[in-house]
Amino acid sequence: PRPPTLDLLKPVTDKFTESVYVLANEPSVALYRLQEHVRRSLPELAQHKADMQRWEEQSQGAIYTVEYACSAVKSLVDSSVYFRSVEGLLKQAISIRDHMNAAAQGH
């Protein structure tokens, strides 16, 4: 028969061996799970990045268009002096034409 101390040591050594095995493999399992997660989510993340870059380009184009439109409106506002000058000259030309027509009818 086996000594009773060996019967008592067997569960302890088995538990110790199992603990060492788990501790030795735990980092590998964690890294495997991490790699698995990255491999699964990387295509979706890459698609999101591409979408964001495309939206940024479209936004930049829209911002340029708005800035250009604002510049055009500001130029129109700044041109109001010239429009008033042209309006005054047109009124003068109409007045001269009316005088010339009246003078021509008087003859």
Side-chain angles (χ1 to χ4, degrees), residues 43-59:
E44 185 179 346
L45 290 173
Q47 183 61 48
H48 282 300
K49 179 183 177 187
D51 291 344
M52 292 299 289
Q53 286 174 332
R54 194 172 62 252
W55 292 332
E56 180 187 14
E57 290 170 7
Q58 290 172 350
S59 297

Side-chain angles (χ1 to χ4, degrees), residues 2-3 5-6 9 24 30 37 43-44 70 83 89 92:
R2 290 175 34 181
T5 54
L6 286 179
L9 283 177
H37 173 72
E44 185 179 346
C70 288
F83 285 121
L89 291 171
Q92 277 183 331

Side-chain angles (χ1 to χ4, degrees), residues 35-99:
Q35 178 187 18
E36 195 176 55
H37 173 72
V38 168
R39 185 177 292 139
R40 214 174 326 125
S41 37
L42 192 61
E44 185 179 346
L45 290 173
Q47 183 61 48
H48 282 300
K49 179 183 177 187
D51 291 344
M52 292 299 289
Q53 286 174 332
R54 194 172 62 252
W55 292 332
E56 180 187 14
E57 290 170 7
Q58 290 172 350
S59 297
Q60 290 298 325
I63 289 169
Y64 175 78
T65 301
V66 168
E67 287 175 346
Y68 184 76
C70 288
S71 174
V73 168
K74 185 182 178 320
S75 294
L76 283 174
V77 169
D78 292 344
S79 300
S80 64
V81 172
Y82 302 110
F83 285 121
R84 273 184 259 143
S85 175
V86 169
E87 180 185 24
L89 291 171
L90 285 172
K91 285 181 180 177
Q92 277 183 331
I94 290 170
S95 176
I96 291 171
R97 182 200 65 193
D98 290 344
H99 283 347

